[in-house]
Amino acid sequence: MAPRAALLLAALALPLLLAAAPPASSDPGPAATGVFQVHRKFPPGGGGNIAALRAHDGCRHGRLLAAADVPLGGLGLPTDTGLYYTEIKLGTPPRTYYVQVDTGSDILWVNCISCDRCPRKSGLGLDLTLYDPKASSTGSEVSCDQGFCAATYGGKLPGCSANVPCEYKVVYGDGSSTTGFFITDTLQFDQVTGDGQTQPGNGSVTFGCGAQQGGDLGNSNQALDGIIGFGQANTSMLSQLAAAGKVKKIFSHCLDTIKGGGIFAIGNVVQPKVKTTPLIADMPHYNVNLKSIDVGGTALQLPADVFKTGEKKGTIIDSGTTLTYLPELIFKEVMLAVFKKHQDITFHDVQSFLCFQYSGSVDDGFPTITFHFEDDLALHVYPHEYFFANGNDMYCVGFQNGGSQSKDGKDIVLMGDLVLSNKLVVYDLENQVIGWTDYNCSSSIKVKDDKTGAVHTVNSHDISSSSSSGWRFQWHKSLVLLLVTVVCSYLIC
């Protein structure tokens, strides 16, 4: 083994760590399109205290792997784990809540007026609001004998009787917990009726009212009002609105790490065209079949079973995770290939991250890594997407050894935000496929109204400078979340 290869392997040995819905209405009425504004919690280019990335993914990864053990298949995450948050309005009259946007959880929940240990202030500079069921004229508690509760838990709960609330309790692997009960109320948003045109709209959703939070959920440092989950379960807001005929069960995101902001949309994207790969059935997360990896056009020689899907194995697409985690064997082979032409580089341990000095363009000096998935779908990851800047001419590696973070996750490929950025990623739950394409997330996409045939242009946004709280923290970028859905033919588009 060459001396530099031995040194690289020694560096790689460091403890690296970057971190069933209510029945559809027989007459759903006019479908809606809507706008939510989504802000980013972490900097797209790293920098500052990069240990925040490590803490974020540490909590996120443990809970992701434990999600199958909780009653609702992954009920939300503590407040330091979501990368993006959006402003929504609930109740009548409507009140504003800031909730994390998360593709790995399955319900919308907010902190309740009766909550114990719920933070009243946020270190993010946001004014937090506790939901009060009695203050909303359209709010009502969900009892344990109602259809939503029975569908959620797979049948009627023991000891259930009329007027007993449908409760939930989730305890995560790191000791964080959330306990509360379900409420049905009005979710309000801005309907998209044409290119850049909106009008008020709403839909009825059932969501969690958090009565007690423990662990990190009670921490005010990066606290928010709750979580909005975009998972596959029937309890998600997306599934409920789809069951009511208000939205297509398709969503997409385009995260812009160059200018900040981007797009998060619900609806059928017709431009750009996106190639897809099947989602693996009966899995709690967005699992796909990874077939091979090449670096700079050369395929890595890896055992055939290294990508096999099974219990605590396989590949998960998760925009809520910051970095990408690879099994140790894959991680070492990828890193050896990446640095093959850079034998003179000296590695530094910066807050337990593998970092190095480099004065040139990383895109010019390092190879592209390509992940190949079932049905010939490729994910191209460029050097600026698997490295992140951390000061002048200092770069750190965004791929991590999964075995160094979680014993249970040592055989899982977990692909996070950095490798998904600057790509349009489409989650088509109606056809059970996921796909992506390289894209300029500062531009726009076109989404079709399948009922009228109208096609709307959805532009990117960066609204971090217009936060309602006056917040100007530089690394918190933003998105617009657009609910681009079926619009009845009598609406003007």
Side-chain angles (χ1 to χ4, degrees):
M1 181 178 293
R4 281 303 305 165
L7 179 58
L8 176 58
L9 285 179
L12 297 182
L14 291 171
L16 304 175
L17 182 64
L18 277 182
S25 170
S26 59
D27 181 15
T33 61
V35 176
F36 293 134
Q37 297 179 341
V38 182
H39 307 250
R40 192 172 185 194
K41 291 176 66 178
F42 290 113
N49 180 15
I50 58 176
L53 294 177
R54 188 172 59 206
H56 159 76
D57 278 359
C59 293
R60 169 82 180 182
H61 203 175
R63 294 183 187 109
L64 184 66
L65 295 173
D69 296 328
V70 302
L72 295 180
L75 277 178
L77 301 169
T79 56
D80 63 347
T81 60
L83 283 177
Y84 299 90
Y85 69 89
T86 184
E87 177 184 317
I88 64 171
K89 293 183 179 181
L90 294 170
T92 306
R95 300 193 67 185
T96 298
Y97 303 87
Y98 296 99
V99 292
Q100 297 175 34
V101 175
D102 178 42
T103 62
S105 62
D106 294 315
I107 67 165
L108 163 63
W109 65 267
V110 295
N111 291 324
C112 212
I113 191 70
S114 59
C115 181
D116 180 23
R117 291 197 61 197
C118 281
R120 267 54 172 183
K121 295 182 179 180
S122 173
L124 300 178
L126 302 171
D127 295 327
L128 301 182
T129 303
L130 297 178
Y131 175 81
D132 184 356
K134 296 181 180 179
S136 173
S137 63
T138 50
S140 61
E141 289 188 6
V142 176
S143 62
C144 65
D145 59 350
Q146 287 182 271
F148 180 91
C149 196
T152 298
Y153 289 103
K156 190 174 181 179
L157 295 173
C160 174
S161 60
N163 300 320
V164 174
C166 180
E167 300 181 350
Y168 72 87
K169 180 177 182 180
V170 181
V171 179
Y172 299 105
D174 69 343
S176 297
S177 62
T178 174
T179 303
F181 52 94
F182 285 110
I183 293 285
T184 297
D185 207 343
T186 299
L187 169 71
Q188 302 203 12
F189 51 89
D190 293 331
Q191 294 179 3
V192 177
T193 56
D195 294 346
Q197 301 176 4
T198 64
Q199 65 182 33
N202 60 70
S204 179
V205 296
T206 297
F207 57 92
C209 195
Q212 185 175 23
Q213 314 296 4
D216 289 341
L217 284 173
N219 189 334
S220 63
N221 184 39
Q222 293 184 2
L224 294 169
D225 291 313
I227 292 169
I228 185 168
F230 277 84
Q232 301 187 64
N234 290 336
T235 52
S236 74
M237 179 204 71
L238 177 65
S239 295
Q240 292 185 59
L241 293 179
K246 291 182 175 291
V247 303
K248 298 282 289 185
K249 203 170 181 180
I250 306 171
F251 71 95
S252 56
H253 58 68
C254 199
L255 311 179
D256 187 353
T257 62
I258 298 173
K259 294 185 177 180
I263 302 169
F264 201 115
I266 293 178
N268 185 14
V269 178
V270 295
Q271 185 180 334
K273 298 293 184 182
V274 175
K275 195 170 185 177
T276 62
T277 188
L279 289 168
I280 298 175
D282 303 320
M283 300 296 283
H285 306 294
Y286 293 112
N287 292 69
V288 291
N289 281 316
L290 178 61
K291 295 295 188 180
S292 64
I293 302 172
D294 67 55
V295 179
T298 301
L300 298 181
Q301 299 303 307
L302 297 166
D305 64 348
V306 73
F307 302 124
K308 184 178 179 181
T309 297
E311 184 179 1
K312 299 178 182 178
K313 291 176 67 68
T315 301
I316 297 173
I317 305 296
D318 180 36
S319 64
T321 296
T322 308
L323 309 169
T324 288
Y325 296 85
L326 304 173
E328 185 171 359
L329 174 61
I330 301 176
F331 175 71
K332 288 184 176 180
E333 291 297 322
V334 168
M335 291 295 98
L336 283 170
V338 164
F339 290 102
K340 183 178 180 180
K341 296 181 179 179
H342 296 277
Q343 301 297 307
D344 58 336
I345 281 180
T346 300
F347 296 98
H348 306 280
D349 181 3
V350 180
Q351 299 180 33
S352 295
F353 300 94
L354 183 66
C355 303
F356 60 96
Q357 293 286 145
Y358 192 77
S359 59
S361 165
V362 291
D363 284 324
D364 292 337
F366 291 86
T368 297
I369 303 172
T370 303
F371 295 83
H372 297 276
F373 296 85
E374 184 179 351
D375 285 355
D376 197 30
L377 175 64
L379 177 67
H380 303 292
V381 184
Y382 306 99
H384 69 272
E385 294 169 340
Y386 63 79
F387 294 140
F388 67 92
N390 185 38
N392 293 331
D393 296 335
M394 177 70 77
Y395 291 89
C396 298
V397 178
F399 287 134
Q400 298 296 294
N401 183 347
S404 69
Q405 175 171 347
S406 168
K407 179 180 178 181
D408 289 339
K410 66 184 180 64
D411 296 320
I412 289 178
V413 176
L414 184 62
M415 312 195 77
D417 175 43
L418 288 183
V419 301
L420 299 175
S421 296
N422 308 309
K423 297 170 177 63
L424 178 67
V425 184
V426 177
Y427 303 71
D428 185 346
L429 305 186
E430 296 192 355
N431 295 300
Q432 283 295 290
V433 295
I434 186 173
W436 48 76
T437 186
D438 292 341
Y439 202 62
N440 176 8
C441 295
S442 298
S443 58
S444 62
I445 64 174
K446 292 187 180 295
V447 183
K448 182 180 180 180
D449 168 6
D450 287 326
K451 198 159 192 175
T452 66
V455 174
H456 301 299
T457 297
V458 177
N459 297 313
S460 65
H461 294 263
D462 182 357
I463 56 172
S464 56
S465 63
S466 60
S467 170
S468 61
S469 65
W471 185 40
R472 298 295 184 271
F473 200 37
Q474 64 179 357
W475 69 12
H476 295 243
K477 299 299 182 181
S478 60
L479 301 175
V480 158
L481 171 61
L482 294 151
L483 294 183
V484 185
T485 62
V486 179
V487 180
C488 290
S489 58
Y490 58 81
L491 290 178
I492 298 176
C493 298

